[in-house]
Amino acid sequence: MLIATSRRPEAQWRPQCLRRATLWTPQYSLQGTRLGLCWRTEQALGQRCQQLTWCSSQLPTMAWGLPSTASLARFCQKLNRLKTLEEPTTETSLRRHLTTLDLTLQGVGGMVGLGLYILTGTVAKWMAGPAVLVSFSVAAVASLLTALCYAEFVVRVPCRGSSYLFTYVFTGELWAFLVGWIVLIQWLIGVAAMARVWSSYLDVIFSYRIRSFTEAHVGIWQVPFLARYPDFLAAGIILLFLAFVSCGGRVSSWVNHIFSAISLIVILFIIILGFVLAHPHNWSAEEGGFAPFGFSGIMTGAATCFYAFAGFGAIAASSVEAQNPKRTVPMALAISVGVVAGAYILVSTVLTLMVPWHNLDPDSALADAFHQQGHSWAAFIVVAGAICAIITLLLNILLFVPRMVCAMSADGLFFQVFACVHPRTQVPVAGILVFGVLMAFLALLLDLEALVQFLSIGIMLELTVLTTSIIILRFRKSPPSSSQGPGSPVGTEQASAPEPGQLRPALRPYLRFLGGCRPGAAVAWSLSVLVASAITLDCVLVFGDSALHLPPWGYTLLLLLSSATFLLSLLVLGAHQQQHRQDTFQVPMVPLTPALSILLNVFLMLHLSYVTWLGFSIWLLIGLVVYFGYGIRHSKENQQERPRLMATHSSLKMVPALQPPSQAPAQEPGHMEEPTSP
């Protein structure tokens, strides 16, 4: 019954088409006096045969109600369509005056406040203990690998860019939306955490009177993930900065330089005075030892500390004003990450040597450490440095987040109300108000520890997508330049040098089974296997003994299989031709460098708590609902595709002009079938 039912549409369709063909063709093909009618009949027969061929290809999917292969292919093309960059505007013609030192100071200013005043005390108190310096070291290595990949995108895009723009230009629309959605929650939580830390440092100046007053009049909350008391000061700080930004306020480069210099001076002060007040006994076994939470705690701390290096995007925002982006941007990224990593390691060392790690106040660890040592004057200096660093970060983020949402709305991926810009101040008012109020609400209610848990997973996943995009970009054929005419010798160039994605000529005799693949097919499969094997290998390393409860032989077998698969896919990628450009910076040792970055980032992400993954997954699901419910239909690229698709569809419907029947007898009989050819 199932077979008969599934074939019934074909059994009903085919006789109707063939019945008309058999009725018309024999009746008139043998009568020479009615060739015009025979001509129309033959044309109708050709059209019917084309319809019959299409229907035959659709029968399996029509029978079961499934989408056809062509519709699935078109849907995947929609998800992976790329953004077309417009011609350079006045924004890209700014005077190139920023040196490596200027970009380095901007990168240091964007990174130093995030980890120094927010994460150091929290990671040392709850995750790693004195081994927080090891956590910062591991996070620095992972961020340096990622920063090199980020630098290649920065110098390739000739305008102010972000992770969202880079992903949209080089990877695809869906990935770009997800990256923008991740960046949005990342900075929303980051601003809330900064406001709470600033409130805590101000509370130190007033000897914790603000906390005592609020707890006495509001009470103490004992709810998971909520703060002990509502932090009205943190919410008020965000609203104050929100009003400044809404009026068109800006942060000039010299203000960034001054605050960055103040932060570096305060860091030097903390390191010097901290070593003077250090007590090596605080690392002894009596106080819990150097690594009280073990290796797992160190890796969890490293995953959380990764967010401390997220500020190198400030360098990307100013790359269009760099004197020589090919040289200055990679150097500034590497130097700023190295300087900030050294500062974090030294500060976390003196912090845990001054005060036992279990006595730290995670909300204001540095100022409270000097306060416990009896040096209140030093605590005031630390508070001044924290305020200077966080002011710059808050203003820059409050300027960046609404503009990124405005860019997504202008591309049609987000609601158009957020694309509206005030005509006088050129500020996206709707985005600032909506997301600013949301930041204030998060800072008012949520606990700092709960906020910190969500900081790093977003930035690591975002940069892992960018790192994967580097491999895609390197093995993709460069689009032909507009100056290349139709008569240019493309074939000669391709004959002399194989295009990216093809197997290297020297390896073709040894890898003949890959030689038959079209350019890019083997690379796509190898990259998919590389990412899957990296995730499997990291899962075995992290959960093999604890959550999975694998026997020793099973653990070893999975470890060897996933490692061998990872290495083989890496070798297959390396056996293919890459893009080599002399006019821009390129990450060295591709695909090894991006592959190591992917492996390390996934390894760190798996050490985060399940609550973090649950909340992050819910946020991603909300984003997917927004994209498939709104963005995929209103996308600017989709609007530009519609005229092309309609033109193609109408051209397919057009029938070649028919010759009148009166002229038919003048033609040769042998040419009567030409109008029916497709």
Side-chain angles (χ1 to χ4, degrees):
M1 291 298 295
L2 290 177
I3 297 176
T5 303
S6 63
R7 292 184 177 178
R8 183 173 298 172
E10 182 179 10
Q12 293 176 354
W13 207 142
R14 287 183 185 273
Q16 292 177 4
C17 294
L18 296 178
R19 189 181 304 120
R20 294 186 181 182
T22 53
L23 284 175
W24 280 96
T25 306
Q27 184 176 359
Y28 295 100
S29 60
L30 299 179
Q31 300 179 15
T33 60
R34 306 174 79 173
L35 287 177
L37 186 56
C38 179
W39 189 0
R40 294 192 184 94
T41 304
E42 291 293 335
Q43 185 181 10
L45 175 61
Q47 293 178 355
R48 289 293 183 180
C49 290
Q50 290 178 4
Q51 294 175 358
L52 179 60
T53 304
W54 182 86
C55 290
S56 300
S57 64
Q58 303 296 318
L59 283 175
T61 57
M62 290 167 58
W64 297 99
L66 298 176
S68 64
T69 306
S71 62
L72 287 176
R74 287 193 300 269
F75 181 72
C76 293
Q77 288 176 357
K78 282 187 175 182
L79 301 183
N80 294 309
R81 55 195 170 198
L82 304 179
K83 178 180 176 64
T84 304
L85 287 178
E86 299 177 354
E87 294 296 325
T89 59
T90 56
E91 185 185 19
T92 62
S93 60
L94 297 174
R95 185 171 64 91
R96 295 187 178 273
H97 64 282
L98 296 181
T99 62
T100 303
L101 179 60
D102 296 328
L103 293 177
T104 302
L105 288 176
Q106 289 191 6
V108 171
M111 286 185 280
V112 72
L114 295 175
L116 191 67
Y117 303 107
I118 297 176
L119 299 177
T120 306
T122 303
V123 174
K125 178 69 178 285
W126 305 112
M127 301 177 190
V132 61
L133 61 96
V134 182
S135 299
F136 273 117
S137 302
V138 176
V141 173
S143 62
L144 182 60
L145 293 174
T146 308
L148 291 175
C149 300
Y150 195 84
E152 181 167 343
F153 285 114
V154 172
V155 298
R156 276 178 177 258
V157 178
C159 60
R160 295 183 186 271
S162 61
S163 301
Y164 162 75
L165 177 63
F166 301 150
T167 310
Y168 205 169
V169 172
F170 297 110
T171 306
E173 184 175 283
L174 174 61
W175 298 105
F177 176 84
L178 291 179
V179 165
W181 192 251
I182 292 170
V183 171
L184 178 60
I185 188 61
Q186 163 196 327
W187 290 120
L188 288 178
I189 295 176
V191 168
M194 291 177 202
R196 288 197 65 91
V197 168
W198 195 15
S199 172
S200 299
Y201 274 95
L202 285 176
D203 200 17
V204 172
I205 297 179
F206 297 101
S207 301
Y208 302 103
R209 292 191 183 95
I210 300 175
R211 179 191 303 178
S212 302
F213 178 82
T214 308
E215 290 180 352
H217 290 78
V218 179
I220 298 176
W221 296 345
Q222 300 293 338
V223 182
F225 306 110
L226 293 184
R228 292 183 58 192
Y229 60 91
D231 198 336
F232 296 103
L233 180 59
I237 290 170
I238 293 178
L239 294 177
L240 179 64
F241 281 90
L242 197 64
F244 174 76
V245 172
S246 300
C247 295
R250 297 289 189 275
V251 183
S252 60
S253 59
W254 65 269
V255 173
N256 281 322
H257 292 350
I258 291 175
F259 282 173
S260 299
I262 292 175
S263 298
L264 291 177
I265 293 172
V266 172
I267 289 172
L268 289 176
F269 170 78
I270 293 172
I271 294 171
I272 294 172
L273 185 59
F275 274 116
V276 173
L277 302 176
H279 300 285
H281 177 74
N282 292 330
W283 284 9
S284 64
E286 297 178 4
E287 299 290 347
F290 178 73
F293 298 94
F295 179 78
S296 177
I298 294 174
M299 291 297 104
T300 303
T304 307
C305 291
F306 192 93
Y307 183 76
F309 300 93
F312 58 71
I315 297 177
S318 303
S319 60
V320 292
E321 301 178 57
Q323 291 180 353
N324 184 9
K326 176 183 175 181
R327 180 177 178 272
T328 56
V329 170
M331 286 187 62
L333 282 170
I335 294 173
S336 59
V337 170
V339 169
V340 172
Y344 285 158
I345 293 170
L346 291 175
V347 169
S348 59
T349 300
V350 300
L351 176 65
T352 53
L353 285 174
M354 282 194 300
V355 179
W357 60 271
H358 48 78
N359 291 336
L360 291 173
D361 182 4
D363 294 341
S364 55
L366 292 172
D368 184 71
F370 286 106
H371 188 76
Q372 290 186 34
Q373 291 290 323
H375 294 75
S376 299
W377 60 273
F380 287 115
I381 296 177
V382 174
V383 169
I387 290 175
C388 290
I390 296 176
I391 282 176
T392 309
L393 289 173
L394 281 176
L395 288 175
N396 287 329
I397 294 174
L398 287 175
L399 286 168
F400 168 76
V401 171
R403 281 168 171 77
M404 190 202 69
V405 176
C406 181
M408 295 176 65
S409 301
D411 290 334
L413 301 183
F414 206 56
F415 304 110
Q416 286 298 310
V417 65
F418 295 107
C420 299
V421 178
H422 194 276
R424 184 178 60 85
T425 60
Q426 295 299 307
V427 170
V429 180
I432 288 179
L433 292 179
V434 172
F435 295 106
V437 172
L438 183 58
M439 293 173 188
F441 184 75
L442 293 175
L444 177 68
L445 299 179
L446 293 185
D447 185 27
L448 180 61
E449 183 183 358
L451 292 172
V452 167
Q453 288 289 326
F454 288 91
L455 290 178
S456 293
I457 186 171
I459 185 66
M460 280 192 288
L461 184 58
E462 165 202 344
L463 295 178
T464 301
V465 173
L466 280 179
T467 304
T468 309
S469 302
I470 282 291
I471 303 179
I472 298 173
L473 180 63
R474 282 296 189 89
F475 293 97
R476 178 188 294 168
K477 182 179 179 181
S478 300
S481 60
S482 58
S483 61
Q484 192 174 19
S488 58
V490 179
T492 306
E493 294 178 2
Q494 291 180 351
S496 59
E499 66 182 41
Q502 285 185 339
L503 197 63
R504 296 178 185 269
L507 299 176
R508 288 175 184 173
Y510 308 100
L511 300 174
R512 294 180 179 177
F513 63 97
L514 295 176
C517 300
R518 61 181 177 84
V523 171
W525 281 104
S526 300
L527 181 58
S528 302
V529 173
L530 177 74
V531 175
S533 60
I535 296 174
T536 304
L537 177 59
D538 288 329
C539 288
V540 172
L541 291 174
V542 176
F543 304 116
D545 292 333
S546 57
L548 299 179
H549 302 291
L550 295 174
W553 65 269
Y555 178 83
T556 306
L557 180 61
L558 281 178
L559 191 64
L560 291 176
L561 287 177
S562 55
S563 302
T565 306
F566 181 81
L567 292 176
L568 285 176
S569 57
L570 193 61
L571 291 175
V572 171
L573 286 173
H576 288 78
Q577 195 72 25
Q578 301 182 28
Q579 288 186 23
H580 294 289
R581 299 180 57 178
Q582 302 297 328
D583 59 337
T584 184
F585 170 77
Q586 288 189 311
V587 183
M589 294 185 296
V590 174
L592 180 60
T593 301
L596 292 178
S597 178
I598 294 170
L599 188 66
L600 186 55
N601 290 349
V602 174
F603 181 74
L604 294 178
M605 281 191 289
L606 292 177
H607 279 89
L608 296 172
S609 65
Y610 71 93
V611 177
T612 303
W613 277 99
L614 179 61
F616 185 72
S617 301
I618 293 174
W619 179 254
L620 282 183
L621 288 177
I622 296 174
L624 290 175
V625 170
V626 172
Y627 175 74
F628 288 107
Y630 181 87
I632 193 172
R633 293 182 290 108
H634 296 82
S635 170
K636 184 178 178 181
E637 298 299 323
N638 185 47
Q639 302 299 328
Q640 293 177 354
E641 281 182 358
R642 282 185 178 180
R644 295 195 296 266
L645 291 176
M646 291 179 65
T648 305
H649 184 65
S650 60
S651 64
L652 290 176
K653 280 188 171 182
M654 288 176 61
V655 180
L658 296 178
Q659 196 170 4
S662 59
Q663 300 178 3
Q667 294 184 353
E668 306 250 29
H671 293 279
M672 286 191 298
E673 294 184 357
E674 287 184 7
T676 65
S677 61

Short mmCIF file of all heavy atoms in Angstrom, two decimals, residues 442-488:
data_model
loop_
_atom_site.label_atom_id
_atom_site.label_comp_id
_atom_site.label_asym_id
_atom_site.label_seq_id
_atom_site.Cartn_x
_atom_site.Cartn_y
_atom_site.Cartn_z
N LEU A 442 20.72 44.78 34.73
CA LEU A 442 21.61 43.68 35.09
C LEU A 442 22.55 44.07 36.22
O LEU A 442 22.80 43.28 37.14
CB LEU A 442 22.42 43.25 33.86
CG LEU A 442 21.66 42.60 32.71
CD1 LEU A 442 22.58 42.35 31.53
CD2 LEU A 442 21.00 41.30 33.15
N ALA A 443 23.09 45.29 36.17
CA ALA A 443 23.98 45.74 37.23
C ALA A 443 23.25 45.90 38.55
O ALA A 443 23.85 45.73 39.63
CB ALA A 443 24.63 47.07 36.83
N LEU A 444 21.99 46.22 38.50
CA LEU A 444 21.21 46.42 39.73
C LEU A 444 20.98 45.12 40.47
O LEU A 444 21.06 45.08 41.71
CB LEU A 444 19.88 47.07 39.37
CG LEU A 444 18.89 47.31 40.52
CD1 LEU A 444 19.42 48.38 41.47
CD2 LEU A 444 17.52 47.70 39.98
N LEU A 445 20.73 44.03 39.75
CA LEU A 445 20.23 42.82 40.38
C LEU A 445 21.24 41.67 40.46
O LEU A 445 21.27 40.96 41.46
CB LEU A 445 18.98 42.32 39.64
CG LEU A 445 17.78 43.28 39.63
CD1 LEU A 445 16.63 42.67 38.85
CD2 LEU A 445 17.35 43.63 41.04
N LEU A 446 22.03 41.47 39.41
CA LEU A 446 22.84 40.25 39.34
C LEU A 446 24.12 40.36 40.16
O LEU A 446 24.70 41.44 40.31
CB LEU A 446 23.18 39.93 37.89
CG LEU A 446 22.01 39.52 37.00
CD1 LEU A 446 22.51 39.11 35.63
CD2 LEU A 446 21.21 38.39 37.63
N ASP A 447 24.56 39.20 40.64
CA ASP A 447 25.79 39.12 41.41
C ASP A 447 27.00 39.18 40.48
O ASP A 447 26.93 38.74 39.32
CB ASP A 447 25.81 37.81 42.20
CG ASP A 447 27.01 37.72 43.12
OD1 ASP A 447 27.53 38.77 43.52
OD2 ASP A 447 27.44 36.59 43.41
N LEU A 448 28.11 39.72 40.95
CA LEU A 448 29.31 39.85 40.12
C LEU A 448 29.84 38.49 39.70
O LEU A 448 30.26 38.30 38.55
CB LEU A 448 30.39 40.62 40.88
CG LEU A 448 31.70 40.84 40.13
CD1 LEU A 448 31.47 41.64 38.86
CD2 LEU A 448 32.73 41.52 41.02
N GLU A 449 29.80 37.51 40.60
CA GLU A 449 30.28 36.17 40.24
C GLU A 449 29.43 35.57 39.13
O GLU A 449 29.95 34.94 38.20
CB GLU A 449 30.25 35.26 41.47
CG GLU A 449 30.79 33.87 41.20
CD GLU A 449 30.69 32.97 42.42
OE1 GLU A 449 30.23 33.44 43.47
OE2 GLU A 449 31.06 31.79 42.31
N ALA A 450 28.11 35.77 39.19
CA ALA A 450 27.24 35.27 38.13
C ALA A 450 27.51 35.98 36.81
O ALA A 450 27.45 35.37 35.74
CB ALA A 450 25.78 35.43 38.53
N LEU A 451 27.81 37.28 36.87
CA LEU A 451 28.12 38.01 35.65
C LEU A 451 29.43 37.54 35.02
O LEU A 451 29.53 37.40 33.80
CB LEU A 451 28.19 39.51 35.95
CG LEU A 451 26.88 40.20 36.34
CD1 LEU A 451 27.14 41.62 36.81
CD2 LEU A 451 25.91 40.20 35.19
N VAL A 452 30.43 37.31 35.87
CA VAL A 452 31.74 36.91 35.37
C VAL A 452 31.67 35.56 34.66
O VAL A 452 32.38 35.31 33.68
CB VAL A 452 32.76 36.88 36.53
CG1 VAL A 452 34.04 36.17 36.13
CG2 VAL A 452 33.08 38.30 36.97
N GLN A 453 30.79 34.67 35.13
CA GLN A 453 30.68 33.35 34.53
C GLN A 453 30.28 33.41 33.05
O GLN A 453 30.64 32.54 32.27
CB GLN A 453 29.64 32.52 35.30
CG GLN A 453 30.10 32.06 36.67
CD GLN A 453 31.16 30.99 36.60
OE1 GLN A 453 31.16 30.16 35.71
NE2 GLN A 453 32.08 31.02 37.55
N PHE A 454 29.54 34.45 32.68
CA PHE A 454 29.04 34.54 31.30
C PHE A 454 29.94 35.39 30.39
O PHE A 454 29.64 35.54 29.22
CB PHE A 454 27.63 35.14 31.29
CG PHE A 454 26.58 34.21 31.81
CD1 PHE A 454 26.25 34.21 33.15
CD2 PHE A 454 25.93 33.32 30.96
CE1 PHE A 454 25.28 33.35 33.63
CE2 PHE A 454 24.95 32.47 31.44
CZ PHE A 454 24.63 32.48 32.78
N LEU A 455 31.01 35.94 30.93
CA LEU A 455 31.81 36.87 30.15
C LEU A 455 32.64 36.17 29.08
O LEU A 455 32.70 36.61 27.93
CB LEU A 455 32.72 37.68 31.08
CG LEU A 455 32.03 38.71 31.97
CD1 LEU A 455 33.05 39.40 32.86
CD2 LEU A 455 31.28 39.73 31.15
N SER A 456 33.31 35.08 29.46
CA SER A 456 34.33 34.51 28.58
C SER A 456 33.78 33.59 27.51
O SER A 456 34.37 33.48 26.44
CB SER A 456 35.37 33.75 29.42
OG SER A 456 36.10 34.64 30.22
N ILE A 457 32.68 32.90 27.77
CA ILE A 457 32.21 31.91 26.81
C ILE A 457 31.82 32.57 25.48
O ILE A 457 32.08 32.03 24.40
CB ILE A 457 31.03 31.11 27.40
CG1 ILE A 457 30.64 29.99 26.44
CG2 ILE A 457 29.85 32.01 27.73
CD1 ILE A 457 29.64 29.02 27.04
N GLY A 458 31.26 33.77 25.57
CA GLY A 458 30.87 34.45 24.34
C GLY A 458 32.07 34.90 23.51
O GLY A 458 32.12 34.67 22.30
N ILE A 459 33.06 35.50 24.16
CA ILE A 459 34.22 36.00 23.42
C ILE A 459 35.02 34.84 22.84
O ILE A 459 35.55 34.92 21.72
CB ILE A 459 35.09 36.89 24.33
CG1 ILE A 459 36.25 37.51 23.55
CG2 ILE A 459 35.62 36.13 25.52
CD1 ILE A 459 35.83 38.48 22.51
N MET A 460 35.09 33.70 23.55
CA MET A 460 35.85 32.57 23.03
C MET A 460 35.15 31.94 21.83
O MET A 460 35.80 31.59 20.83
CB MET A 460 36.07 31.53 24.13
CG MET A 460 37.22 31.87 25.06
SD MET A 460 37.72 30.51 26.13
CE MET A 460 36.35 30.48 27.24
N LEU A 461 33.83 31.80 21.89
CA LEU A 461 33.11 31.24 20.76
C LEU A 461 33.16 32.19 19.56
O LEU A 461 33.34 31.75 18.41
CB LEU A 461 31.67 30.95 21.14
CG LEU A 461 30.81 30.27 20.08
CD1 LEU A 461 31.43 28.94 19.66
CD2 LEU A 461 29.39 30.05 20.58
N GLU A 462 33.03 33.47 19.82
CA GLU A 462 33.11 34.47 18.75
C GLU A 462 34.46 34.41 18.03
O GLU A 462 34.53 34.36 16.79
CB GLU A 462 32.88 35.85 19.35
CG GLU A 462 33.27 37.00 18.45
CD GLU A 462 33.54 38.26 19.24
OE1 GLU A 462 33.14 38.33 20.42
OE2 GLU A 462 34.16 39.18 18.68
N LEU A 463 35.54 34.39 18.80
CA LEU A 463 36.87 34.38 18.19
C LEU A 463 37.21 33.01 17.60
O LEU A 463 38.03 32.92 16.67
CB LEU A 463 37.91 34.79 19.23
CG LEU A 463 37.78 36.24 19.71
CD1 LEU A 463 38.81 36.55 20.78
CD2 LEU A 463 37.92 37.21 18.56
N THR A 464 36.60 31.95 18.09
CA THR A 464 36.80 30.64 17.48
C THR A 464 36.18 30.60 16.08
O THR A 464 36.75 30.01 15.15
CB THR A 464 36.20 29.53 18.36
OG1 THR A 464 36.83 29.58 19.65
CG2 THR A 464 36.42 28.17 17.75
N VAL A 465 35.02 31.23 15.92
CA VAL A 465 34.42 31.33 14.58
C VAL A 465 35.32 32.12 13.65
O VAL A 465 35.54 31.74 12.48
CB VAL A 465 33.02 31.97 14.68
CG1 VAL A 465 32.45 32.24 13.29
CG2 VAL A 465 32.07 31.06 15.45
N LEU A 466 35.90 33.21 14.14
CA LEU A 466 36.81 33.99 13.32
C LEU A 466 38.07 33.20 12.96
O LEU A 466 38.58 33.29 11.84
CB LEU A 466 37.21 35.27 14.05
CG LEU A 466 36.22 36.44 14.01
CD1 LEU A 466 36.75 37.61 14.81
CD2 LEU A 466 35.94 36.86 12.60
N THR A 467 38.57 32.42 13.91
CA THR A 467 39.76 31.61 13.64
C THR A 467 39.47 30.57 12.58
O THR A 467 40.29 30.32 11.69
CB THR A 467 40.22 30.95 14.94
OG1 THR A 467 40.45 31.96 15.94
CG2 THR A 467 41.51 30.18 14.72
N THR A 468 38.30 29.96 12.65
CA THR A 468 37.91 29.00 11.61
C THR A 468 37.76 29.69 10.26
O THR A 468 38.08 29.12 9.21
CB THR A 468 36.59 28.32 12.01
OG1 THR A 468 36.70 27.80 13.34
CG2 THR A 468 36.25 27.18 11.07
N SER A 469 37.30 30.93 10.29
CA SER A 469 37.14 31.68 9.04
C SER A 469 38.48 31.94 8.35
O SER A 469 38.53 32.08 7.13
CB SER A 469 36.42 33.00 9.31
OG SER A 469 35.17 32.78 9.92
N ILE A 470 39.55 32.02 9.13
CA ILE A 470 40.87 32.22 8.53
C ILE A 470 41.22 31.04 7.62
O ILE A 470 41.74 31.21 6.51
CB ILE A 470 41.93 32.39 9.63
CG1 ILE A 470 41.86 33.81 10.19
CG2 ILE A 470 43.34 32.13 9.10
CD1 ILE A 470 42.31 34.87 9.23
N ILE A 471 40.93 29.83 8.07
CA ILE A 471 41.22 28.65 7.25
C ILE A 471 40.35 28.67 5.99
O ILE A 471 40.83 28.37 4.89
CB ILE A 471 40.98 27.36 8.07
CG1 ILE A 471 41.84 27.37 9.33
CG2 ILE A 471 41.27 26.12 7.23
CD1 ILE A 471 41.65 26.17 10.22
N ILE A 472 39.08 29.03 6.14
CA ILE A 472 38.20 29.11 4.97
C ILE A 472 38.73 30.15 3.98
O ILE A 472 38.77 29.92 2.77
CB ILE A 472 36.77 29.46 5.41
CG1 ILE A 472 36.20 28.37 6.32
CG2 ILE A 472 35.86 29.67 4.21
CD1 ILE A 472 34.86 28.72 6.92
N LEU A 473 39.15 31.28 4.51
CA LEU A 473 39.62 32.37 3.65
C LEU A 473 40.90 32.00 2.91
O LEU A 473 41.06 32.33 1.72
CB LEU A 473 39.84 33.62 4.50
CG LEU A 473 40.33 34.88 3.79
CD1 LEU A 473 39.29 35.34 2.79
CD2 LEU A 473 40.62 35.97 4.81
N ARG A 474 41.81 31.30 3.58
CA ARG A 474 43.09 30.99 2.95
C ARG A 474 42.96 30.01 1.79
O ARG A 474 43.74 30.07 0.84
CB ARG A 474 44.02 30.39 4.00
CG ARG A 474 44.64 31.40 4.91
CD ARG A 474 45.54 32.36 4.16
NE ARG A 474 46.29 33.18 5.07
CZ ARG A 474 47.47 32.85 5.57
NH1 ARG A 474 48.03 31.71 5.21
NH2 ARG A 474 48.07 33.65 6.41
N PHE A 475 42.00 29.11 1.87
CA PHE A 475 41.85 28.09 0.83
C PHE A 475 40.74 28.44 -0.16
O PHE A 475 40.36 27.60 -0.97
CB PHE A 475 41.57 26.73 1.45
CG PHE A 475 42.72 26.19 2.25
CD1 PHE A 475 42.77 26.34 3.62
CD2 PHE A 475 43.77 25.55 1.62
CE1 PHE A 475 43.83 25.85 4.36
CE2 PHE A 475 44.84 25.06 2.34
CZ PHE A 475 44.88 25.21 3.72
N ARG A 476 40.24 29.66 -0.09
CA ARG A 476 39.21 30.11 -1.02
C ARG A 476 39.87 30.92 -2.14
O ARG A 476 40.79 31.70 -1.89
CB ARG A 476 38.17 30.96 -0.31
CG ARG A 476 37.10 31.52 -1.21
CD ARG A 476 36.22 32.48 -0.44
NE ARG A 476 35.45 31.81 0.59
CZ ARG A 476 34.80 32.44 1.55
NH1 ARG A 476 34.84 33.75 1.62
NH2 ARG A 476 34.12 31.76 2.46
N LYS A 477 39.35 30.75 -3.34
CA LYS A 477 39.89 31.49 -4.48
C LYS A 477 39.52 32.95 -4.35
O LYS A 477 38.38 33.30 -4.05
CB LYS A 477 39.33 30.92 -5.79
CG LYS A 477 39.88 31.59 -7.03
CD LYS A 477 39.30 30.96 -8.29
CE LYS A 477 39.83 31.65 -9.55
NZ LYS A 477 39.26 31.05 -10.78
N SER A 478 40.51 33.81 -4.57
CA SER A 478 40.26 35.25 -4.49
C SER A 478 39.35 35.68 -5.63
O SER A 478 39.50 35.21 -6.77
CB SER A 478 41.57 36.03 -4.57
OG SER A 478 42.42 35.67 -3.50
N PRO A 479 38.40 36.58 -5.38
CA PRO A 479 37.54 37.07 -6.47
C PRO A 479 38.36 37.86 -7.47
O PRO A 479 39.30 38.56 -7.10
CB PRO A 479 36.52 37.95 -5.74
CG PRO A 479 37.20 38.36 -4.47
CD PRO A 479 38.10 37.22 -4.09
N PRO A 480 38.03 37.77 -8.74
CA PRO A 480 38.78 38.53 -9.74
C PRO A 480 38.60 40.02 -9.55
O PRO A 480 37.54 40.49 -9.15
CB PRO A 480 38.18 38.06 -11.07
CG PRO A 480 36.82 37.57 -10.72
CD PRO A 480 36.91 37.01 -9.33
N SER A 481 39.64 40.74 -9.80
CA SER A 481 39.58 42.18 -9.66
C SER A 481 38.72 42.79 -10.76
O SER A 481 38.56 42.23 -11.83
CB SER A 481 41.00 42.78 -9.70
OG SER A 481 41.61 42.48 -10.94
N SER A 482 38.18 43.94 -10.43
CA SER A 482 37.30 44.60 -11.39
C SER A 482 38.04 45.08 -12.63
O SER A 482 37.45 45.26 -13.68
CB SER A 482 36.60 45.79 -10.72
OG SER A 482 37.56 46.69 -10.23
N SER A 483 39.35 45.27 -12.51
CA SER A 483 40.11 45.73 -13.65
C SER A 483 40.40 44.64 -14.62
O SER A 483 40.87 44.87 -15.71
CB SER A 483 41.43 46.35 -13.16
OG SER A 483 42.18 45.40 -12.46
N GLN A 484 40.11 43.42 -14.25
CA GLN A 484 40.40 42.29 -15.12
C GLN A 484 39.28 42.13 -16.12
O GLN A 484 38.14 41.84 -15.79
CB GLN A 484 40.56 41.01 -14.28
CG GLN A 484 41.14 39.85 -15.07
CD GLN A 484 41.40 38.66 -14.16
OE1 GLN A 484 40.84 38.57 -13.08
NE2 GLN A 484 42.22 37.76 -14.57
N GLY A 485 39.56 42.36 -17.37
CA GLY A 485 38.55 42.27 -18.40
C GLY A 485 38.30 40.88 -18.83
O GLY A 485 38.96 39.93 -18.43
N PRO A 486 37.34 40.68 -19.71
CA PRO A 486 37.03 39.35 -20.17
C PRO A 486 38.13 38.74 -21.01
O PRO A 486 38.23 37.53 -21.11
CB PRO A 486 35.74 39.55 -21.00
CG PRO A 486 35.75 40.99 -21.39
CD PRO A 486 36.43 41.71 -20.32
N GLY A 487 38.96 39.56 -21.58
CA GLY A 487 40.02 39.02 -22.39
C GLY A 487 41.32 38.82 -21.67
O GLY A 487 42.35 38.55 -22.29
N SER A 488 41.33 38.96 -20.33
CA SER A 488 42.56 38.78 -19.58
C SER A 488 42.96 37.33 -19.57
O SER A 488 42.13 36.44 -19.54
CB SER A 488 42.38 39.31 -18.16
OG SER A 488 41.33 38.65 -17.54
#
